[in-house]
Amino acid sequence: MKIFKSILFVLLLSAAAYGQTEDLGMGAFANERGPILVAVDAALVDFQIKSPYVMFVFYIAAKNQNKDIVVSRDTITMTYQGQEYKMPTVKELRENYNGEIHDVDFYRHLGKEGIISAWVRFYNFPQRADFFPPLTMRGTLSVDEGSIYGFTGFRTKVYFKNPGFKKGDKVTFKVWDKKDPNITGQVDVVID
């Protein structure tokens, strides 16, 4: 009977851990738990932890390929130390921060092995739309929302004002559908 209880305990622990955020290494994190799949590449934040605005790269997709989901800049939030934060507007970011081009250039040189090891590799992420495209990126439109459907996801840079990150801090990002707030996804990120 004791062996049965031990096995049941291990199975319950495994079930509780299943579907939670997975640390992919190299500053990348992913979660497949909800109807919205979310992966975040936080590698740049790890290198620029003192920057006044921090850039994350989001990969968002639908778990159910028959569902059309729309995410907007208002349906993505960051929770840090119990407080919820919204993204700045493009205008606010450009007035208060001059590092966008540097961020994109630096990010290009960082390894992507972590993010590629997740569910992301099975989806297509057209790069013609972005919440924060740098002024130098031709052919990329600044958008307020992105659609995800079938095996087509939405990849975008996401900026937040730095609330005072320190190494080891945990941040939670929540994403939900603009039309139905019950369709959600979230991912936890640890700043290294």
Side-chain angles (χ1 to χ4, degrees):
M1 185 66 153
K2 192 172 186 178
I3 294 173
F4 176 73
K5 285 182 181 178
S6 296
I7 292 172
L8 184 60
F9 179 72
V10 169
L11 288 173
L12 287 173
L13 280 178
S14 298
Y18 178 76
Q20 300 297 321
T21 296
E22 182 181 1
D23 183 344
L24 305 169
M26 300 183 75
F29 299 84
N31 192 336
E32 300 178 52
R33 183 177 185 182
I36 298 178
L37 307 176
V38 184
V40 174
D41 193 340
L44 185 67
V45 179
D46 293 345
F47 284 100
Q48 297 183 184
I49 198 166
K50 299 295 182 195
S51 178
Y53 286 85
V54 288
M55 182 187 93
F56 299 89
V57 179
F58 272 58
Y59 296 82
I60 307 166
K63 183 180 274 185
N64 178 351
Q65 279 72 42
N66 297 321
K67 190 83 173 155
D68 185 16
I69 297 173
V70 176
V71 294
S72 75
R73 37 175 76 254
D74 294 328
T75 65
I76 297 175
T77 59
M78 176 181 79
T79 303
Y80 172 69
Q81 295 185 346
Q83 185 169 346
E84 190 174 88
Y85 296 86
K86 295 260 187 192
M87 284 185 270
T89 63
V90 173
K91 181 180 180 195
E92 175 191 336
L93 182 71
R94 290 189 176 149
E95 286 175 356
N96 298 314
Y97 182 63
N98 297 327
E100 280 183 275
I101 295 169
H102 174 266
D103 291 350
V104 171
D105 188 48
F106 193 167
Y107 181 74
R108 276 190 197 126
H109 294 89
L110 297 175
K112 309 293 184 288
E113 292 87 350
I115 205 75
I116 297 301
S117 70
W119 57 264
V120 171
R121 69 186 179 276
F122 301 114
Y123 287 78
N124 180 33
F125 293 93
Q127 297 199 9
R128 61 184 173 269
D130 199 311
F131 286 150
F132 295 97
L135 294 171
T136 59
M137 287 186 95
R138 295 176 190 212
T140 303
L141 300 172
S142 177
V143 296
D144 291 325
E145 58 187 40
S147 292
I148 54 178
Y149 54 89
F151 285 97
T152 300
F154 179 53
R155 177 192 180 273
T156 185
K157 290 180 292 311
V158 172
Y159 276 92
F160 285 95
K161 189 166 187 169
N162 191 338
F165 289 142
K166 293 180 271 328
K167 291 201 176 284
D169 283 349
K170 180 180 162 188
V171 181
T172 301
F173 293 102
K174 185 175 180 186
V175 178
W176 64 94
D177 181 23
K178 181 180 173 182
K179 300 170 283 187
D180 183 355
N182 294 316
I183 298 174
T184 65
Q186 77 175 44
V187 65
D188 296 322
V189 170
V190 177
I191 308 297
D192 278 336

